[in-house]
Amino acid sequence: MLRLINAALNDELFFSIANHTLTIVDTDAIYTKPFNTNVVFITPGQTTNVLLKTKPHYPNATFLMAAQPYFSGLGTFDNSTVAGILEYESPLHSSPTNKTKTKLFKPTLPNMTSTSFVANFTKNFRSLANTRFPANVPQNIDKRFLFTIGLGSNPCPKNMTCQGPNGTKFSASVNNISFVLPTTALLQSHYFGQSNGIYTTDFPATPLNPFNYTGSPQPNNTFVTNATKLVVLPFNSSVEVVLQDTSILGAENHPLHLHGHNFFVVGEGFGNFDPNNDPINFNLKDPIERNTVGVPAGGWIAFRFFADNPGVWFMHCHFEVHTSWGLRMAWIVLDGSLPSQKLPPPPSDLPKC
């Protein structure tokens, strides 16, 4: 078994081992229905466990394990390939002559811009959904959200040179709100009930100014709103979130990560999410459960979860550059009625707000 972790800051990766098939059995620490593949796609923040079945006889060859980026945005990117070597232990009585003739095989990786491969690969993931490992997918929804995610801009600060459109500064946002990190910890502020001047709880459930998210025309004004806005969820509420990519400053695949919870990916597609027709095709039987998911370039994903973990939980793009530009937000999950459903107090040595 190989445990694969994408620890890159800004690169989604294709991974393959030459002349070998991999069986995927786990993603983000959740068992999956096993399936075979020659190539694994993995975003920053995701983990994937695979089974590698070695060859029954000494192959007199070595095999490259290689990874290279998947890129769906605009601009430049690192197109290098990283590699390791899978080497078989040679038989005890092999001769030096045979060793000098060892072949080196290289894997065939998808084109670096192969969005079709990524889409087909991700659709293979299914939860086990059996008695021992059930898929407890929320069936009835208490709270629904539609969040646009993508790039935008801010005015360039004085005495600085910025590389955004028309000399502006690149930014990123959720529902056009670029999240500003406060100077006081959100969890601390929430626990002591002292949010005034630190955050507000009016994060919009849907885009304030709807438009043709993945088509044309795109908005002429690409400026974002800079704020520290959060969403409040009652304890154990069932939540459905649709993450919609936009084409503002270029459509791009965004790996979104939710802290504190796993979620079930019940649907995905390209273009604009259709609230009337797309939910008909949601998989509510055995959707994959995970904590990081790639939102397709020029498309959408839908996930569901139970807000059963009290606290303040960050959700953000796992591209470091996009997170730093503001593609992030946070959820407040309120306490439940039982002692085990309440947020524990902070350490005694932590100063109050």
Side-chain angles (χ1 to χ4, degrees), residues 88-111:
Y88 281 72
E89 191 174 46
S90 60
L92 293 177
H93 304 294
S94 61
S95 66
T97 304
N98 288 339
K99 289 184 180 180
T100 60
K101 295 180 181 179
T102 299
K103 297 178 181 178
L104 176 64
F105 289 96
K106 300 178 181 179
T108 300
L109 293 167
N111 185 286

Side-chain angles (χ1 to χ4, degrees), residues 22-303:
L22 304 172
T23 303
I24 294 180
V25 294
D26 170 296
T27 183
D28 292 352
I30 297 293
Y31 289 126
T32 70
K33 287 185 171 70
F35 67 93
N36 295 333
T37 184
N38 295 322
V39 177
V40 175
F41 171 70
I42 184 169
T43 78
Q46 286 184 338
T47 66
T48 304
N49 288 358
V50 301
L51 302 181
L52 167 67
K53 186 172 179 61
T54 56
K55 299 184 181 302
H57 305 290
Y58 179 65
N60 195 32
T62 55
F63 307 90
L64 279 186
M65 302 183 292
Q68 71 179 21
Y70 160 64
F71 184 73
S72 58
L74 303 176
T76 59
F77 68 101
D78 182 354
N79 65 352
S80 59
T81 300
V82 64
I85 294 177
L86 172 63
E87 184 176 78
Y88 281 72
E89 191 174 46
S90 60
L92 293 177
H93 304 294
S94 61
S95 66
T97 304
N98 288 339
K99 289 184 180 180
T100 60
K101 295 180 181 179
T102 299
K103 297 178 181 178
L104 176 64
F105 289 96
K106 300 178 181 179
T108 300
L109 293 167
N111 185 286
M112 291 187 183
T113 60
S114 185
T115 295
S116 60
F117 177 91
V118 172
N120 291 329
F121 175 80
T122 57
K123 290 176 182 178
N124 288 316
F125 286 89
R126 293 286 187 271
S127 292
L128 288 182
N130 56 28
T131 303
R132 186 178 178 189
F133 299 102
N136 296 316
V137 188
Q139 301 294 316
N140 300 305
I141 300 301
D142 299 318
K143 301 283 187 178
R144 282 187 165 85
F145 300 90
L146 171 62
F147 292 162
T148 58
I149 59 171
L151 304 185
S153 61
N154 264 307
C156 188
K158 291 182 178 180
N159 302 318
M160 286 185 63
T161 300
C162 297
Q163 297 180 337
N166 301 315
T168 59
K169 179 183 177 181
F170 275 119
S171 296
S173 67
V174 181
N175 271 358
N176 206 47
I177 296 176
S178 189
F179 192 83
V180 177
L181 292 176
T183 56
T184 301
L186 293 171
L187 183 61
Q188 181 179 344
S189 305
H190 164 61
Y191 182 83
F192 290 112
Q194 298 178 354
S195 62
N196 188 34
I198 299 171
Y199 67 84
T200 61
T201 57
D202 56 346
F203 193 97
T206 59
L208 295 179
N209 298 295
F211 61 98
N212 186 359
Y213 306 118
T214 57
S216 58
Q218 290 290 296
N220 293 323
N221 182 1
T222 63
F223 283 164
V224 299
T225 298
N226 303 290
T228 309
K229 296 178 182 288
L230 282 68
V231 176
V232 177
L233 297 173
F235 179 79
N236 209 37
S237 54
S238 54
V239 183
E240 179 181 286
V241 181
V242 175
L243 298 174
Q244 173 71 62
D245 185 34
T246 76
S247 297
I248 296 177
L249 305 184
E252 188 168 357
N253 196 89
H254 294 277
L256 261 289
H257 173 62
L258 174 62
H259 288 221
H261 299 80
N262 281 356
F263 52 75
F264 293 94
V265 183
V266 297
E268 63 181 281
F270 289 103
N272 297 336
F273 174 73
D274 184 339
N276 296 316
N277 295 311
D278 286 327
I280 298 172
N281 298 313
F282 280 179
N283 175 11
L284 303 181
K285 180 182 178 182
D286 62 348
I288 191 60
E289 180 183 355
R290 60 188 321 156
N291 59 50
T292 305
V293 65
V295 180
W300 57 272
I301 66 103
F303 66 77

